[in-house]
Every structure is written in structure tokens, then in C-alpha cells.
Amino acid sequence: MSAIKHLALADGGPPPGAAELAANFGDLHAPLSRAQAAIEADACLYCYDAPCVRACPTAIDIPRFIHQISTGNLEGSAHTILSANIMGGTCARACPTEVLCEGVCVVNRTKGAPVKIGLLQRFAVDHLMETARAHPFARAPRTGRRLAVAGAGPAGLSFAHRAAMLGHDVRVLEARPRAGGLNEYGLAAYKMADDFAAREVEFLLGIGGITIEHGIAVGRDVTLEQLAAEHDAVFVGIGLGRAARAAVPGEALAGVDDAIAFIAALRQAADKASVPIGSRVVVIGGGNTAIDAAVQARCLGAASVTLVYRRGPEQMSATMWEQDLARMNGVAMRFWSQPVAFEGEGAVTHVTLAETALIDGRLVPTGRTDRVACDQVLLAVGQQMDALPGGPRIDAGKLWIDGRYQTSLPGIFAGGDAVAGPDLTVQAVEDGKRAAHAVDRWLKERAA
Ligand code: SF4
């Protein structure tokens, strides 16, 4: 991971102007130049049984793609990446590489820092997306099979691309106006600058054989049963679309908002200044969504942002690098605290926090409380799956699948966050890819 970006923040001053907003929400990491990429590639030791590959959920052949960069074969390098992970561009930007491939890179031991795998991956994929005249993957001969996909997020799109490669025709149904799911609506704007999520979807669709229909929510506008009757198989990749609430008194007060909705509004706003932000913001949560919301609240000009988490920094699902990003940009971190009341007359003015402690492995209140003044609260306390009436078996709020991605209903498969989330984009991409192969095998077995 490269150095931590500092935002153009003017504490106590006027709200950030257009130039400051553009800088704050601009690319978190500067892309590598060709010369920088050559130097970085030369640092790779091309390890046998490379630990970086084992740490990648999509098992990208990292030494191979780095070697291809070092020999000037950028198209080949991108092909190596994208054949394992069709969203290698997003993952190069948004993966917590510090705890995946770069975290285990052996160069850490000799040089104190890893090969910049994420930035090299981005260098190769961006080059291909900017220069290729044709989609890099060919479709197998058409099978005549029609597959339906619920949800155009990372799992659904990865499934669709691989299924199209295998020769199937794919119809994707998406409730929202834009495709990309979490990549389009759920990641901080500074991770996905220059409308990258939309460009990646357009690139992915270049394989052909995939149509996306927007404004259709499976479960609301069409049932899984109907889809199964009209198609040869169905893949459910709807993710976790609903923000969980904190179940704390005062949640209905104005100013107590979903962090997910805040991030989505920022991602879709043509003018970031049009998204309302408080002056004193409290963010509740311990994951990447909480960090993305907290840092972006600062980007928008909030004078103070406090991130509250009920356990310690080691227990946060956000990585230490993400926590440092927040701290370096003025987010105050408050651990071992949880909200017990949001207070105010109509709009939130205070949050009461209860101190917590781990006693005999159980998180318990210590009895000490504190009252913190605020005018906005952003809740990032988890996500839930939208209801699927009459749908397949649900276990602990998630879709149940067997080892072949098959739900409890025949011909209906599932993967991604609705099965095992919330998780990283890279895991959803892997699920979608594997599920496409599982469906392909299932179709062949049925035809035999
Ligand atoms: Fe190269 Fe590091 Fe992977 Fe080894 S672990 S192959 S040095 S990137």
C-alpha cells in the first residue's frame, strides 16, 4: 500500500470549495508511471509457491503478471489478472492488500515493505482498459442456455461474465439505476475516482451475451420461482442491500442516518457539496464502511468526526492501514464505547456512550457513560439481506447453499454477500466465477 493521503482540510474555517472537494475526493493512490512500474516489478522475487497468490481470494498468478510487466507485455499481464478476477481493476483500488497479497509478500522481510502488487495490478489493467480495441476474452460457442442473475453487484457481474464466456446467454436484473453494486454505491469516492466502477462494468459487458435490466428487484417485482420457470438456471447475487439499525432509543431523530446511504449519495452526486454533512459527526461501527463514512465526512468539511467502536482497534474489521488513514485525516477514534441513546428535540444533538469491557470473553457495560455533542450520526453497524418471499432456505439471515453453490431450490444458485457477507469485493468476484462453473457443470449433467 502506498503512503497515506492527507486531505485538504480547513478545520474551523469555511466549508471546502470546489477545488478542495475535488482534491479530497480525488484518487487515493497515484497510479504508477511506466518507469515506476518497471522498478516495482524488478523488486519481485518470483517466488515458487508464492504466498501472495495463496493470500489472494481469486488466486491471481501474481509473479506471472509481474514478470509480464517487467518484460513489457502489459496486455498479457492484464489477461493473467483478469482471467482470475474480471474485476481486477476495482480490486487493485479497493482490496486491503496490506492484509492480503502485500501483507505476506516475502520482500517485507528483506526490505521492510512489500512489492506494490495492488498498484502494479492497476497499472496493467488500466493499460488494457485504456488501449484494447477488443474485449480480451472470447465466448465459447453458444449453448442456447438462458441464465438469470439477480443483482448486478460484484458477484452477479462476475457470474455473468464467466457464464457468458462459457457460452450461455445471461439476463441480469438490477433494482438500482446503475450496475456495480458495492463498487458503484458502497465504496469511498476516493477509492473509485473517475467513475471507474461504471467503466469497469462497460468493459466487462464487452464480452457480449449479457443484458442488464434496471429497476427490477427480485423478490419485489419478480419472484425467483418465475425466473426459474423462464430460464435454465438462476444465480442470486443480491448482496446485503439493507442497512441494519442500532436498536438504540432516538434512532428516528433527524440527523441519525445510514452510513451506507451517505456513501451512496456521495458516489452518485454530481456535486459533492450538495450532500448534507453535519459539523460534529459521530460514526458508529468498526468496518470499512465506518472508515469510508468517517473520512468522507471530513472530506466534505465536518469540523469534527468521531468514530465509535464497541471493542478495541485489533477487533475492528477495518485494517490498521484504514484506521491510520482515518486518524491521519483528523478522525478521532473512540474504542470500547457503544451508543445507548441518541438525544435531541426533533434532531439529534447528543449521543450517550456507554463504556464497554471484555470480561470472561463477554462484552459488558462498565457502568460509566459519557454524553457527546453532535449534529449528525452515521450508523455503520451492519447490513442485512432484502427479503426474498417464497425464496430458498435462509440460515442466520443468509442464503444457505451447498458445496456446489446450489440453494435449497433446484436450479437456483447463490453466492457473494447474501451467502457469506459482508465480505470484500474480491471474495464476491470469486464466488460469482466459481458459481458460474458450478452452474455450467449442473447444466451439462442434466443434459447427459
Ligand atoms: Fe513477488 Fe512478493 Fe509474490 Fe514473492 S510474495 S512472488 S516477491 S510479490
Side-chain angles (χ1 to χ4, degrees):
M1 244 328 148
S2 52
I4 288 175
K5 172 181 177 172
H6 288 261
L7 306 171
L9 301 171
D11 288 343
E20 287 164 311
L21 285 175
N24 289 350
F25 288 100
D27 214 330
L28 182 59
H29 304 291
L32 296 177
S33 67
R34 192 173 274 262
Q36 288 170 324
I39 292 167
E40 272 306 315
D42 275 351
C44 180
L45 304 174
Y46 307 119
C47 308
Y48 177 75
D49 193 22
C52 54
V53 178
R54 282 186 272 116
C56 173
T58 55
I60 293 171
D61 190 340
I62 292 166
R64 178 177 164 83
F65 93 67
I66 292 178
H67 186 256
Q68 288 168 312
I69 290 175
S70 74
T71 57
N73 179 7
L74 297 187
E75 284 79 12
S77 176
H79 199 278
T80 298
I81 296 160
L82 296 168
S83 61
N85 180 343
I86 195 60
M87 292 189 166
T90 284
C91 294
R93 287 163 168 79
C95 259
T97 51
E98 64 276 15
V99 293
L100 298 173
C101 53
E102 292 180 12
V104 298
C105 175
V106 298
V107 176
N108 280 305
R109 278 184 248 144
T110 52
K111 293 192 174 167
V115 176
K116 293 191 176 80
I117 300 168
L119 283 173
L120 284 169
Q121 180 168 312
R122 174 174 169 175
F123 176 73
V125 173
D126 284 4
H127 172 83
L128 182 131
M129 284 177 61
E130 283 158 18
T131 60
R133 281 195 290 274
H135 190 75
F137 299 100
R139 296 185 69 191
R142 302 247 323 253
T143 62
R145 303 287 192 177
R146 290 184 69 241
L147 311 183
V149 175
L157 289 173
S158 170
F159 176 93
H161 184 269
R162 188 53 61 111
M165 264 177 83
L166 294 166
H168 308 301
D169 291 327
V170 188
R171 177 186 176 215
V172 183
L173 306 176
E174 168 57 45
R176 301 216 242 190
R178 303 187 85 184
L182 184 73
N183 302 356
E184 174 60 44
Y185 292 95
L187 299 174
Y190 49 72
K191 292 178 181 168
M192 300 293 282
D194 303 322
D195 217 9
F196 183 78
R199 288 192 284 124
E200 186 175 61
V201 171
E202 195 184 327
F203 160 77
L204 182 150
L205 295 178
I207 192 164
I210 305 170
T211 57
I212 303 182
E213 297 171 34
H214 291 277
I216 302 175
V218 174
R220 182 192 69 192
D221 304 313
V222 61
T223 65
L224 279 177
E225 202 177 15
Q226 283 171 290
L227 286 182
E230 293 167 6
H231 300 83
D232 293 293
V234 179
F235 176 75
V236 183
I238 57 174
L240 301 172
R242 205 153 36 90
R245 302 298 286 173
V248 168
E251 255 184 298
L253 288 170
V256 180
D257 302 317
D258 293 336
I260 292 269
F262 169 69
I263 293 169
L266 271 171
R267 286 295 302 278
Q268 300 307 309
D271 175 11
K272 302 273 187 273
S274 67
V275 178
I277 189 68
S279 172
R280 291 175 295 187
V281 178
V282 171
V283 180
I284 313 285
N288 285 341
T289 299
I291 298 280
D292 284 1
V295 175
Q296 290 190 110
R298 290 284 290 152
C299 291
L300 267 184
S304 80
V305 178
T306 303
L307 190 149
V308 175
Y309 181 53
R310 62 197 171 128
R311 295 174 186 265
E314 293 79 17
Q315 288 84 32
M316 280 184 81
S317 59
T319 65
M320 283 297 167
W321 193 93
E322 291 275 350
Q323 294 181 43
D324 286 345
L325 176 72
R327 271 192 213 93
M328 297 289 283
N329 288 295
V331 175
M333 310 290 273
R334 185 162 179 155
F335 298 106
W336 302 108
S337 294
Q338 64 184 15
V340 290
F342 301 117
E343 300 160 38
E345 296 291 327
V348 69
T349 57
H350 291 83
V351 53
T352 299
L353 299 174
E355 187 185 68
T356 57
L358 259 189
I359 296 176
D360 295 333
R362 286 183 55 237
L363 194 71
V364 293
T366 64
R368 279 193 285 273
T369 60
D370 189 15
R371 213 160 156 263
V372 176
C374 62
D375 51 15
Q376 188 169 23
V377 174
L378 295 170
L379 295 174
V381 292
Q383 292 146 257
Q384 297 166 337
M385 194 181 73
D386 285 322
L388 276 176
R393 176 176 148 196
I394 307 276
D395 270 356
K398 308 273 172 61
L399 289 170
W400 175 89
I401 56 169
D402 66 13
R404 292 159 40 120
Y405 293 88
Q406 171 95 45
T407 69
S408 59
L409 300 179
I412 299 179
F413 299 76
D417 278 2
V419 169
D423 209 330
L424 302 169
T425 289
V426 66
Q427 188 57 56
V429 172
E430 180 67 4
D431 282 357
K433 180 181 80 180
R434 285 173 179 255
H437 285 287
V439 169
D440 186 62
R441 281 193 295 274
W442 180 79
L443 289 168
K444 284 177 177 148
E445 284 166 14
R446 288 209 330 156

